[in-house]
Amino acid sequence: MKKREIIIIGIILLAAVGALVFMRLSSASQNQLYVKITVDGELYDTIPLTDDLDTEFTISTDLGENHVVIKNGTVDVDWADCANQVCVNTKSAEYLHDTIVCLPHKLIVEIVDGE
Amino acid sequence: MMNRKSPRYISTMAMLIAVALILAYVETLIPALPIPGAKIGLPNIVALLALLTLGFADALVILFVRAVVSSLLFTSVMSLAYSLAGGILSLVVMFLLTRMYKKEQIGFSVLFVSVMGAVAHSTGQVLVAMFVMSTASLLYYLPWLVVISVITGLFVGLVVYFVYRPFQRVLKSGAR
Ligand SMILES: [Zn+2]
C-alpha cells in the first residue's frame, strides 16, 4: 500500500471514531430521555425513560413479534421471531441516540431527548 | 478477454458464482454482529478477484446472480435490496479505483481498494435501510459500520492479495 492510501484509510477511520466520540459526548444531555418506537416508518409509542420504570411488552405486527424490556433506565429487545436476530443481539439502549433496529420487522427502538 | 461463448468462460463464471455462494453460506453460519448490516463480506473476495481478472461486467454478473440465489437460499428476499445496493456501490467504487493501477502491479494497494469497497458497501446498505425504514436515525450506525468495514476490508484485501496471482495463472494456463 502506498503512503497516500494508508493516510486516506486513516482519515476515514479518524472521521468515524470522531463521529462516535462526538455522539457519546453530545449524548450527555440533561433533558428527559424517551424511548421512541417506530414500526414501518410510523410512530408506535413514545415512553419517558426513567430509572424506576420497569415494564415489558411485545410488539406484534404482520411482519412478526419483538419483545421489549425496559428497566433500570435501559431498553432491550430480548426476544424476537425475526430471521437474523440482530435486534436481540444488539446490546441494550441507554444513552441518547442509542438504537436497536430490526430490519426484517421494520422496527426501530431508539432513545431520543424531550422535544 | 475470454470469448463469452467458450466453455472456458462459462465454467470460470460458474465456478466463481459457486465459490461466492459458498462464502455467502459460510457467512450465515457466523453469528450476527449486534450491528445491522455488519458482515465480514466474504463474497467480496470473489467480487474483487473477478474485477481484477475478468472485468467490471463479469464481476457485476457474478454479484447479481450470487445475491439473488443466496437471498433465496440462505436469507430473505427482503435482504436482497440491501445486499444488491451495497454490492453494486462497492463494485463501482472498486472498479473506479482499480483503474488507477496497472492490474498486474497492484500489489498491496489491493487492500486499499478492498477497504474502500467495504466502506462503500456499508454506506450503500445504510442508505437503502434508511429509505426502506423511512428514518434517518440509522445514520448513527454508520460510524460503527465504517470502523468494522475497514477491518473486514483489510482482511478481504489480504486474501485477494494472496489469491490473485495463482488465480490469474490458472486462468491464463491453457488459454488460447
Ligand atoms: Zn430482529
Side-chain angles (χ1 to χ4, degrees):
Chain A
M1 250 190 310
K2 298 191 193 83
K3 206 174 192 175
R4 191 186 50 185
E5 296 166 356
I6 296 171
I7 290 172
I8 295 174
I9 293 177
I11 290 173
I12 292 172
L13 262 183
L14 219 64
V17 172
L20 288 173
V21 170
F22 177 76
M23 270 158 54
R24 183 42 54 88
L25 289 181
S26 67
S27 72
S29 118
Q30 296 303 309
N31 295 336
Q32 170 67 51
L33 296 178
Y34 294 83
V35 179
K36 183 179 160 198
I37 300 170
T38 317
V39 179
D40 202 1
E42 309 238 327
L43 184 64
Y44 178 90
D45 205 356
T46 314
I47 307 156
L49 186 64
T50 51
D51 284 342
D52 53 356
L53 179 66
D54 191 340
T55 180
E56 51 186 276
F57 50 91
T58 303
I59 299 165
S60 56
T61 64
D62 316 344
L63 295 165
E65 296 186 339
N66 298 70
H67 187 251
V68 179
V69 180
I70 303 179
K71 67 173 178 206
N72 303 328
T74 68
V75 197
D76 194 27
V77 174
D78 70 342
W79 180 88
D81 58 357
C82 63
N84 62 23
Q85 296 290 301
V86 167
C87 56
V88 178
N89 291 326
T90 305
K91 71 174 171 66
S92 50
E94 181 176 358
Y95 301 105
L96 182 61
H97 301 320
D98 279 359
T99 307
I100 300 172
V101 56
C102 182
L103 291 179
H105 294 171
K106 297 192 174 183
L107 171 85
I108 300 168
V109 178
E110 61 185 312
I111 307 225
V112 297
D113 69 355
E115 47 177 88
Chain B
M1 198 84 318
M2 275 185 266
N3 173 1
R4 290 241 154 95
K5 280 178 185 153
S6 72
R8 190 183 177 78
Y9 169 77
I10 294 167
S11 50
T12 302
M13 290 293 279
M15 181 199 69
L16 286 174
I17 290 169
V19 172
L21 273 173
I22 291 166
L23 292 176
Y25 175 66
V26 168
E27 203 159 62
T28 63
L29 300 179
I30 300 167
L33 287 169
I35 295 176
K39 276 185 272 175
I40 304 177
L42 292 176
N44 278 3
I45 296 170
V46 173
L48 185 48
L49 208 55
L51 194 59
L52 289 171
T53 53
L54 300 172
F56 181 74
D58 290 339
L60 189 63
V61 170
I62 292 168
L63 171 87
F64 190 78
V65 175
R66 185 220 86 213
V68 171
V69 176
S70 81
S71 80
L72 291 174
L73 287 179
F74 314 131
T75 55
S76 63
V77 178
M78 237 176 77
S79 66
L80 180 61
Y82 298 110
S83 100
L84 269 186
I88 290 173
L89 191 63
S90 156
L91 203 61
V92 169
V93 166
M94 294 195 297
F95 169 67
L96 295 176
L97 287 175
T98 49
R99 284 174 55 135
M100 305 191 322
Y101 306 94
K102 288 204 177 79
K103 284 191 182 128
E104 310 285 336
Q105 294 157 12
I106 190 165
F108 268 113
S109 291
V110 81
L111 270 72
F112 173 68
V113 174
S114 170
V115 166
M116 298 309 278
V119 171
H121 201 284
S122 305
T123 310
Q125 280 190 321
V126 169
L127 291 179
V128 173
M130 280 168 62
F131 180 74
V132 171
M133 314 270 284
S134 53
T135 173
S137 44
L138 292 174
L139 217 48
Y140 292 112
Y141 276 119
L142 194 56
W144 283 115
L145 283 171
V146 167
V147 172
I148 292 168
S149 295
V150 170
I151 298 163
T152 61
L154 286 174
F155 172 74
V156 165
L158 207 58
V159 173
V160 174
Y161 174 76
F162 286 115
V163 176
Y164 176 41
R165 277 174 191 287
F167 181 68
Q168 182 91 324
R169 220 173 300 136
V170 171
L171 274 189
K172 279 187 176 157
S173 68
R176 269 157 270 171

